[in-house]
């Protein structure tokens, strides 16, 4: 597979001009969609406060997803293990591998997320916002899984592991 690059000019996104979806505890800054990068990548910055959930377990059939921790502490599902990532850590999940993410219980997380090759996903995040505000039902995501290369799945590891790790982190912080 070869890298696809924009043909005409650099992509520059000023912080003040980025579209912001949601509000605390989950804020998503839409930075560059696949259509603006010639298909090379799509990227967003996700800020989670106080243990907030970022994404339920899912996989991408055709894209890898990169998580770079700008600040804080997050828990990431990678196949059947949960990884705790902190500021400066990088986690890359290849296509087809189950993954999910959340701020670690009692912590904030600021994460730069890059999907490559890119998928036009800005509308996906707008769809999530409509769900959050009750404008469309959550099951409406099932209708757009293929369009956004996001296939939801059940993960017993995530369902039980995040809860157990949260208890462990709280216990350690009190000792």
């Amino acid at each position: 597979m070869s890298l696809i690059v924009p043909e005409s000019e650099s992509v520059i996104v000023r912080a003040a001009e980025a579209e912001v979806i949601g509000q605390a505890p989950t804020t998503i800054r839409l930075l560059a969609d696949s259509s603006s990068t010639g298909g090379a990548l799509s990227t967003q910055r996700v800020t989670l406060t106080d243990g907030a959930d970022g994404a339920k377990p899912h996989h991408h059939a055709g894209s890898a997803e990169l998580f770079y921790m700008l600040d804080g502490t997050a828990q990431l599902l990678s196949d059947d293990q949960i990884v705790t990532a902190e500021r400066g850590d990088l986690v890359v999940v290849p296509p087809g591998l189950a993954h999910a993410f959340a701020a670690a219980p009692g912590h904030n997380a600021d994460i730069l997320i890059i999907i490559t090759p890119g998928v036009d996903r800005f509308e996906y995040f707008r769809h999530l916002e409509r769900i959050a505000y009750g404008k469309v039902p959550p099951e409406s995501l099932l209708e757009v899984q293929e369009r956004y290369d996001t296939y939801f799945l059940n993960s017993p590891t995530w369902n039980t592991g995040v809860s157990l790790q949260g208890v462990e982190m709280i216990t350690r912080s009190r000792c």
Side-chain angles (χ1 to χ4, degrees), residues 3-141:
L3 177 65
I4 304 166
V5 294
E7 293 181 20
S8 58
E9 58 188 55
S10 298
V11 176
I12 300 170
V13 180
R14 303 285 182 199
E17 297 169 0
E19 180 180 349
V20 178
I21 301 287
Q23 56 190 0
T26 304
T27 306
I28 304 166
R29 286 170 180 75
L30 304 179
L31 300 174
D33 220 357
S34 178
S35 59
S36 67
T37 65
L41 58 89
S42 47
T43 187
Q44 59 276 340
R45 179 178 179 176
V46 178
T47 305
L48 307 167
T49 58
D50 196 25
D53 194 24
K56 300 287 186 203
H58 65 282
H59 78 276
H60 306 290
S63 296
E65 191 160 4
L66 177 149
F67 299 86
Y68 180 74
M69 293 298 301
L70 297 169
D71 202 8
T73 305
Q75 294 178 325
L76 293 102
L77 173 69
S78 177
D79 196 20
D80 63 354
Q81 66 176 321
I82 296 176
V83 176
T84 299
E86 297 177 329
R87 183 180 182 177
D89 290 349
L90 173 75
V91 177
V92 179
V93 180
L97 202 65
H99 58 284
F101 65 96
H107 292 268
N108 299 334
D110 193 9
I111 311 167
L112 181 67
I113 300 174
I114 299 171
I115 296 173
T116 184
V119 175
D120 277 326
R121 292 174 47 91
F122 282 10
E123 191 56 39
Y124 171 78
F125 294 108
R126 294 177 188 122
H127 190 108
L128 290 176
E129 184 175 46
R130 289 190 292 275
I131 290 170
Y133 290 116
K135 295 179 180 180
V136 295
E139 50 276 0
S140 64
L141 277 178

Side-chain angles (χ1 to χ4, degrees), residues 111-173:
I111 311 167
L112 181 67
I113 300 174
I114 299 171
I115 296 173
T116 184
V119 175
D120 277 326
R121 292 174 47 91
F122 282 10
E123 191 56 39
Y124 171 78
F125 294 108
R126 294 177 188 122
H127 190 108
L128 290 176
E129 184 175 46
R130 289 190 292 275
I131 290 170
Y133 290 116
K135 295 179 180 180
V136 295
E139 50 276 0
S140 64
L141 277 178
L142 299 175
E143 301 166 6
V144 296
Q145 291 184 105
E146 190 171 324
R147 181 183 316 158
Y148 300 116
D149 189 25
T150 301
Y151 301 92
F152 299 98
L153 48 90
N154 183 34
S155 170
T157 300
W158 184 251
N159 296 341
T160 59
V162 169
S163 299
L164 293 175
Q165 283 192 11
V167 168
E168 180 182 316
M169 288 185 81
I170 291 167
T171 303
R172 272 190 279 146
S173 68

